[in-house]
């Protein structure tokens, strides 16, 4: 179970925002750590832990073909919470997130896409399944630099200043000694933290794609 973030204060939204499930909405801020072994940095597999080191989710990457891939977010028992699939051959990096192990269009929870193929600065628009604006007005957006661990997630469209989650660098002698890469994400009160983790998985893929293109 996720635990209350220490030393974090935020004015909670009036009502829980349950994108994936109400069980992932807490009335207090939640800190989650993204942990991945340095020697597997090139792949898309990592763990999500609470501040006590308990595993909350596991992220598993599945390469189907050169142009198709998907990722699974699993609970500690190995059950699939959501399936993320990247759409190939598009001008923007574009992902669809489905409930459970489904990839049926009727089970789409949300879609996320970047503004361009240049990722020096991340700008990700998120559209929920019930968004009827033809992707003209986003429901959430992400701005910042994933590489620098300075991304912020906002609720609302381009002009919104309502922060629902933000990333923090976290380097320690212990994490270096254990050979792990580590950063934390603070999820604000009443926000679905599984939804935020899904966004982190997408950002991670975009960042790795940009690094591969630059190398």
């Amino acid at each position: 179970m996720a635990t209350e973030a220490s030393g974090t204060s935020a004015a909670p939204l009036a009502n829980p925002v349950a994108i994936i499930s109400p069980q992932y909405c807490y009335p207090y801020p939640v800190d989650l750590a993204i942990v991945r072994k340095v020697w597997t940095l090139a792949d898309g597999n990592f763990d999500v832990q609470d501040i006590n080191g308990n595993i909350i989710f596991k992220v598993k990457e599945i390469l189907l073909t050169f142009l198709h891939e998907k990722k699974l977010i699993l609970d500690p028992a190995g059950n699939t919470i959501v399936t993320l699939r990247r759409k190939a051959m598009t001008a923007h990096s574009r992902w669809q997130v489905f409930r459970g192990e489904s990839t049926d269009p009727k089970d789409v929870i949300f879609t996320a896409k970047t503004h361009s193929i240049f990722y020096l600065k991340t700008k990700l628009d998120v559209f929920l399944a019930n968004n009827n604006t033809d992707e003209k007005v986003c429901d959430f957006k992400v701005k910042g630099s994933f590489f620098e661990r300075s991304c912020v997630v906002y609720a609302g469209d381009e002009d919104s200043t309502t922060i629902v989650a933000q990333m923090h660098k976290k380097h320690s002698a212990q994490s270096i000694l254990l050979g792990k890469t580590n950063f934390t994400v603070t999820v604000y009160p009443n926000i679905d933290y599984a939804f935020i983790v899904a966004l982190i998985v997408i950002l991670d893929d975009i960042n790795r794609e940009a690094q591969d293109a630059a190398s």
Side-chain angles (χ1 to χ4, degrees):
M1 175 180 290
T3 53
E4 183 172 0
S6 58
T8 306
S9 61
L13 296 180
N15 299 299
V17 180
I19 308 301
I20 294 175
S21 173
Q23 75 183 86
Y24 302 120
C25 296
Y26 287 1
Y28 49 74
V30 172
D31 279 344
L32 299 175
I34 310 301
V35 180
R36 177 168 49 202
K37 295 286 187 180
V38 169
W39 50 81
T40 62
L41 190 62
D43 68 33
N45 302 313
F46 53 85
D47 293 340
V48 181
Q49 301 178 358
D50 65 17
I51 59 175
N52 296 318
N54 301 308
I55 294 177
I56 305 300
F57 300 114
K58 287 181 173 290
V59 177
K60 182 178 180 181
E61 182 177 58
I62 299 175
L63 295 176
L64 302 175
T65 68
F66 176 73
L67 293 176
H68 295 82
E69 66 177 290
K70 67 179 180 180
K71 298 176 186 288
L72 306 177
I73 298 180
L74 313 173
D75 67 16
N79 302 307
T80 302
I81 305 299
V82 292
T83 296
L84 301 88
R85 187 175 66 180
R86 183 172 66 171
K87 299 193 71 174
M89 307 300 289
T90 59
H92 307 278
S93 183
R94 184 183 182 90
W95 285 85
Q96 289 182 307
V97 179
F98 303 83
R99 197 167 303 281
E101 297 183 357
S102 175
T103 54
D104 190 312
K106 68 179 177 60
D107 292 322
V108 169
I109 302 172
F110 68 89
T111 299
K113 68 176 184 178
T114 58
H115 278 252
S116 74
I117 60 173
F118 302 104
Y119 307 121
L120 292 177
K121 291 293 183 181
T122 300
K123 191 174 182 183
L124 189 70
D125 288 344
V126 180
F127 304 91
L128 300 181
N130 60 0
N131 186 308
N132 58 6
T133 67
D134 293 326
E135 297 190 352
K136 293 178 181 178
V137 180
C138 61
D139 298 290
F140 295 86
K141 66 177 182 293
V142 184
K143 289 184 176 182
S145 170
F146 184 84
F147 178 76
E148 298 173 354
R149 307 299 189 239
S150 61
C151 287
V152 178
V153 183
Y154 299 88
D157 61 14
E158 185 64 28
D159 299 323
S160 173
T161 58
T162 303
I163 297 175
V164 296
Q166 54 186 328
M167 299 167 60
H168 311 277
K169 290 181 179 179
K170 184 180 181 183
H171 300 295
S172 67
Q174 182 184 26
S175 67
I176 294 172
L177 181 64
L178 294 175
K180 294 181 178 181
T181 178
N182 216 334
F183 65 92
T184 60
V185 180
T186 297
V187 183
Y188 281 35
N190 286 329
I191 299 298
D192 187 327
Y193 64 83
F195 165 65
I196 299 300
V197 169
L199 294 182
I200 295 299
V201 173
I202 294 171
L203 292 169
D204 177 72
D205 184 84
I206 293 171
N207 182 64
R208 290 190 299 114
E209 183 181 3
Q211 289 181 320
D212 290 343
S215 61

